[in-house]
Amino acid sequence: MPPYAEDPQDVSAPKGVAERGGDADPGETTVLGEAADPSGRGADPEARREAFGWTEDAALRRAEAGLVRTLRPRAATSDLLDLASNDYLGLTHRAEITEAAAEAARRWGAGSTGSRLVTGTTRLHTRLEHELAEFCGFEAALVFSSGYTANLAVLTALSARDGLIVSDAGNHASIVDGCRLSRAETAVVPHAEPAAVAKTLAARPGRRALVVSDSVFSVDGDKAPLAGLAAACREHAAGLVVDDAHGFGVLGDGGRGAVHEAGLAGDPDVVATLTLSKSLGSQGGAVLGPARVIEHLVNAARTFIFDTGLAPAAAGGALASLRLIAAEPALAARARTVASTLHRLLTDAGLAAVRPDAAVVSVRAPGPSEALRWAADCRELGLGVGCFRPPSVPDGVSRLRLTARADLTDAEIERAVATIVRTAPAGAVGTGASTTAAARTTV
């Protein structure tokens, strides 16, 4: 029986597409009602051009709303002071990390060569999984090609069509997409309210249920009430899934993460996901949890079974970073100190900044166009900052998003704050300090 036989999802052909086999030519997919000329070369050229003509209207609407996004390739080295990336511990360019990644590529090759179940698992992958689980206090771990695919795996493979997922309104897009793909009923509850979670679970008894939340929310940097969420789950026999992407490496003993900090690591009803691309300065994702859950994902998670394995260089770099974090536990504390200092200096200057629970510092802007201009002005003065605007933010509030890296010096922190204050648009300074994430509007 193939490894995906236990996958709870429907793997039948989509509507309008005939399954392979029978009279269909093996290896081909027959679209019902397809024209005699499948190439479409005989169609009117104008009709072909208009197939995606609607994208021009969409682009115009984005431009009018000030929401156009563009790619900006960066150089390998730059004089720009970086407060925009997610390199929380400043490990991406550490010599021992880049050398470990290079050595892994030299030894194992540039790519993993296949899916994890075929040829895409190396000893680096299994060693990384073992040490991740041990460091974070879980029974087992499974490495994915990204944190996004890790979240999709957990939410699709651990839910059911007749099940329930309770999701925080501020959760990351990967969680939103995982809920949609799960085909379970999804109930979106107000941000950071365990009582709302408990009420939702109580209203739907007797169903397989998951509660899913970011540990640290990527927009405002506030921390989820994990103890309260766990209590609500246990009252109603639900599983708790925590995306610890922004907590791992920053929170907990020596950076072991928010789940470890909350005393939930290793519990049989708790699963955590994380990325290797933030605090570890590499790329990829992982799921941590009970061994039986990890074994189920190996056999049922489509984003594990059908995806090419993580490149050896990324696995090697992440493993070296993990060992460095274990050897230098002060890195996590330094990242938190930098975040607190940024917040204090910005609020002292009259800006509305949210008090950070980890390494993300959010500074409110009057509107999307002002936020975009603010970020551009900072860049012109040598400071890179993140810019979050609708629809990327659930509350519709535009802001600058700052990354508090552990390797920032006190002089760099002061320079960054001076630049942000100097370039602040009218309406940003003097609005008063938003000292907690509770000040934001949630949906």
Side-chain angles (χ1 to χ4, degrees), residues 19 66 83 115 149 176 294 316 352 385 424:
E19 296 186 41
L83 268 71
S115 68
T149 55
V176 174
I294 299 304
V385 297

Side-chain angles (χ1 to χ4, degrees), residues 294-350:
I294 299 304
E295 189 274 337
H296 178 74
L297 295 179
V298 170
N299 286 274
R302 294 169 67 83
T303 56
F304 180 82
I305 296 168
F306 299 108
D307 191 25
T308 298
L310 185 67
L319 181 57
S321 289
L322 181 64
R323 291 171 176 174
L324 191 149
I325 292 173
E328 299 183 21
L331 284 171
R334 174 59 184 171
R336 297 194 301 271
T337 297
V338 171
S340 297
T341 303
L342 282 168
H343 170 262
R344 175 176 57 80
L345 294 176
L346 290 166
T347 54
D348 285 349

Side-chain angles (χ1 to χ4, degrees), residues 40 43-56:
D44 176 49
E46 183 63 22
R48 298 204 305 269
R49 193 188 72 81
E50 288 303 315
F52 296 109
W54 58 268
T55 61
E56 296 178 7

Side-chain angles (χ1 to χ4, degrees), residues 91-111:
L91 300 183
T92 297
H93 290 288
R94 286 266 302 240
E96 55 265 62
I97 309 306
T98 56
E99 178 53 34
E103 175 56 28
R106 285 191 291 265
R107 181 176 182 186
W108 298 100

Side-chain angles (χ1 to χ4, degrees), residues 10-19 29-32 183:
D10 181 10
V11 296
S12 61
K15 203 169 191 179
V17 178
E19 296 186 41
T29 300
T30 302
V31 180
L32 303 183
R183 305 184 188 180

Side-chain angles (χ1 to χ4, degrees), residues 163-169 171 175 179-180 182 184-190 196-197 199-201 203-204 207 210-212:
L164 172 68
I165 299 177
V166 183
S167 178
D168 188 287
N171 278 340
I175 294 176
C179 291
R180 290 169 176 168
S182 73
E185 178 189 354
T186 299
V188 179
V189 295
V197 172
K199 182 178 179 180
T200 302
L201 291 171
R204 299 162 174 82
R207 299 168 66 178
L210 295 174
V211 173
V212 59

Side-chain angles (χ1 to χ4, degrees), residues 65-70 72 365 367-379 385-389 398-400 425:
L67 300 177
V68 175
R69 289 161 171 78
T70 57
R72 183 186 291 112
S369 60
E370 291 90 345
L372 191 64
R373 183 69 259 169
W374 197 358
D377 289 344
C378 285
R379 187 176 186 85
V385 297
C387 177
F388 277 26
R389 301 164 291 151
S398 299
R399 67 262 281 166
L400 299 187

